[in-house]
Structure formats: structure tokens, C-alpha cells
Amino acid sequence: MKDLKGKNVIVTGGSRGIGLEIARAFLKEGANVFTIARNGDSLAASVRNLKKDVKPGRTVAGYSCDVGNREGIAGTIRQIASQNGGIDVVINNAGMYVPDYFERQDLEVFERTDRTNYLGAVFTTKAALPFLLERRRSAIVFVTSGAGLKGIFGYSSYSPTKAAVLSLAEVIKQELKGRGVQVAVLCPPDVDTPGHAEELKIRPTECNALSESGGLMTATEIAGILMSGFRKEKFLIIGGFETKLLYRLNGISPRFVDFCFERLIVRSRRNNSKKHPCPVGRHEA
Ligand SMILES: NC(=O)c1ccc[n+]([C@@H]2O[C@H](COP(=O)([O-])OP(=O)(O)OC[C@H]3O[C@@H](n4cnc5c(N)ncnc54)[C@H](OP(=O)(O)O)[C@@H]3O)[C@@H](O)[C@H]2O)c1
């Protein structure tokens, strides 16, 4: 989709981080933007922040809702469509990630992460689809992750949800072929966001060894990468050299990628065992 002027765009998780900058990028293109997040206060503050980027005659508004609540999100989507004359684009960005060792990770975290990342995208897309199909051209974007392209150490509650979202996008793209709905998947690398800052405080040390060569992108940069890929109607939009390399190498030789990961994990454990004994069980190379 090239011309976004006057289009109605929904961004879930648009109150901070990547979603906030995606919302801003669409506003700068002349779209109307409707953000969804749970916390009403931070949503209101983010909408005030976005107002300066609204083009004349356009609008931005926030709707407080949990994407994991299927009746709630269906009602919110209907409300946005009826109050604003339909929906052209849905960005499924709302997500959560709580890294830990599988052995230690609470089952409640698996359920909550799945409900937000995967079912949240299902509920939102299912509710929006009838409105998207009313348009001649419309679009659905799914924000996944490099961790959805390959299972990553410490992300047992997260990687599978993002792989599921990628698979969902592939199915929807095939099923909607020829019906005017563009489908895209954004795979960000590590991005500097409030969520990522929290993640850094708790993630197992081995995760640092796996991600340290990738650097940290800004939310504005990844939103720019999305807009560029979106305009070119690309399906898979991967941000950052390391994530692109991971995608290509894992496609050619997953065993080689596993070997590289295992080397990094063993080296990280060796370095850290001198300082801190590993917190979960015995780990042997
Ligand atoms: N940052 C990274 O390094 C990175 C890398 C790869 C992929 N991603 C993906 O990019 C997306 C955004 O990540 P981020 O780092 O920007 O996260 P973030 O800073 O934690 O922001 C998350 C946003 O989603 C909203 N949200 C969370 N749970 C929700 C729910 N159940 N219902 C509605 N809104 C919800 C949050 O608002 P409330 O809490 O108020 O609901 C907030 O607006 C996620 O899907 C994440 O998996 C991030």
C-alpha cells in the first residue's frame, strides 16, 4: 500500500516502544491512527505526544483494551470502525516477553504470553477482517521477532508465540490472495524500548552472548524499516543485518546456526561460572 493519506490505521500496543513509533510513522504519512493498549493513563499521554504529528484534517485517538480479551477487542474494533468510517490497516504489535530458563519459567507466563502475542493477534485480526474486506485495498501487519525465526535460548515462553504468529500470517496471506488485503510480517532485532529495558534486567546471561553482536536499533528506525517494506508490499520485513543473516543461515543450515549458538552459550557459561554459579541445575558443554 503506497498512499496512506486518510487511511484508518489501528496499532495495537501503540502507547510506547515500537508501536508508538509505528503510529507516529503512519500519522506522518497522513493517516488517521487509533492506538490500543491496556493502561489508560499511558495511552492518554502517548496520544498527547502523537498529536504534534497529526496532519491537518486527520486524527489520532487511543482505546484502552486488552488484546487477549476476545470480546473486549472485538467490541473495540467495532467501535473504532463505526466511529471513524471503517478500517484500512491493522498493525498487530501488542506483545510481551519475559525471558527465563524453561526449567524456571512459571507456567502462568506461558499462558499470558500466548494469550497476548498469538491469541491477541488472532482476536484482533478476526474482529477487523470484515471491515478490511469492505475496502478495495487494505492491510494487516504482524509484528513478530527474530526469535520467531529461530528458537532462542531463554525465550521458551516467547519464541514459539512469534513463530506461531509468522505461521498465522502465512496462512492468512494464502487465504486472502486476490481479495485486496496486503499481509506483512515485521521481524525486529533488539530494539531500544521500555519493554526491552525491563527484559535486560531479568534475562539469563547466556542471552546476552547470543544478542551482543546485533546491537540495538531505535524504535524510530524499525518503524522506518516497516514503512519502507510496507510501501513496497513486501511480506517478510526483517530489521537489522544480524537478523537477516540469522534468517538466511538458518534456512540453509539450521545445524550450523545451532552449532554457533551452542558455542556462544558454552563460552558465556564458562566466563560466568567463574563469577556466578549457574542458577538452574547442572549445565555441561
Ligand atoms: N523491543 C524489542 O527488542 C523487540 C524485538 C523483537 C520484537 N519485538 C516485538 O515488538 C512488539 C512491541 O515491543 P516493544 O519492545 O515496543 O514492547 P513495550 O515497550 O513493552 O510496549 C508494549 C506495548 O504493547 C502494549 N500491550 C502489552 N500487552 C498488551 C495487551 N495484552 N493488550 C493491549 N496492549 C498490550 C503495551 O501497553 P500496556 O502495557 O498499557 O497494555 C505497550 O503499548 C512486541 O510484539 C514485541 O514482541 C520487540
Side-chain angles (χ1 to χ4, degrees):
M1 188 178 284
K2 288 178 183 64
D3 187 7
L4 292 165
K5 289 186 193 70
K7 301 290 185 211
N8 288 344
V9 180
I10 293 178
V11 184
T12 70
S15 67
R16 58 173 189 264
I18 295 173
L20 178 64
E21 294 313 317
I22 290 176
R24 196 185 310 284
F26 275 94
L27 283 174
K28 285 182 175 174
E29 294 284 331
N32 301 304
V33 172
F34 310 99
T35 55
I36 295 174
R38 291 163 304 175
N39 185 306
D41 291 340
S42 54
L43 191 61
S46 65
V47 168
R48 283 196 296 277
N49 174 304
L50 286 170
K51 283 231 155 91
K52 63 179 184 300
D53 294 303
V54 177
K55 297 285 184 207
R58 306 293 180 227
T59 186
V60 62
Y63 291 77
S64 178
C65 181
D66 184 338
V67 294
N69 175 334
R70 70 178 185 196
E71 286 81 23
I73 192 66
T76 300
I77 298 279
R78 276 198 302 273
Q79 191 186 354
I80 294 172
S82 67
Q83 287 176 348
N84 301 284
I87 303 166
D88 299 280
V89 180
V90 173
I91 315 281
N92 287 291
N93 164 79
M96 59 170 286
Y97 35 98
V98 182
D100 204 344
Y101 300 99
F102 176 75
E103 282 175 86
R104 200 166 64 180
Q105 184 71 279
D106 202 324
L107 286 176
E108 183 272 334
V109 175
F110 284 88
E111 289 178 339
R112 202 154 38 94
T113 309
D114 195 49
R115 180 155 283 275
T116 304
N117 297 3
Y118 176 63
L119 288 177
V122 171
F123 297 157
T124 305
T125 305
K126 192 104 165 100
L129 191 56
F131 300 105
L132 296 172
L133 288 169
E134 285 173 3
R135 304 296 215 218
R136 203 173 58 80
R137 284 296 290 155
S138 58
I140 309 167
V141 177
F142 296 91
V143 179
T144 66
S145 169
L149 300 172
K150 175 85 184 165
I152 305 281
F153 189 109
Y155 291 90
S156 56
S157 62
Y158 176 72
S159 269
T161 68
K162 291 299 186 176
V165 172
L166 173 56
S167 182
L168 172 73
E170 288 171 344
V171 172
I172 289 177
K173 178 173 178 272
Q174 290 167 30
E175 292 188 8
L176 296 181
K177 179 83 185 152
R179 297 182 69 188
V181 186
Q182 176 187 342
V183 180
V185 173
L186 175 70
C187 291
D190 279 357
V191 180
D192 188 9
T193 65
H196 183 70
E198 287 306 307
E199 173 193 20
L200 287 181
K201 293 178 194 162
I202 56 168
R203 73 183 185 184
T205 48
E206 292 93 333
C207 299
N208 300 333
L210 293 178
S211 71
E212 65 193 359
S213 59
L216 198 58
M217 198 173 265
T218 67
T220 308
E221 282 168 337
I222 194 66
I225 288 170
L226 169 65
M227 296 311 285
S228 161
F230 185 78
R231 261 191 236 102
K232 291 175 194 150
E233 307 212 351
K234 281 190 179 174
F235 174 64
L236 194 56
I237 305 168
I238 300 179
F241 173 75
E242 298 279 333
T243 311
K244 283 184 187 152
L245 188 65
L246 172 68
Y247 174 67
R248 297 258 177 251
L249 278 181
N250 198 50
I252 298 165
S253 174
R255 281 181 64 192
F256 176 69
V257 177
D258 288 344
F259 171 78
C260 295
F261 276 17
E262 281 160 20
R263 297 272 301 188
L264 288 167
I265 291 160
V266 168
R267 194 183 306 155
S268 156
R269 282 187 178 152
R270 209 173 280 142
N271 294 340
N272 278 298
S273 65
K274 292 172 195 152
K275 294 180 240 161
H276 322 279
C278 195
V280 183
R282 272 166 60 90
H283 296 282
E284 288 164 2

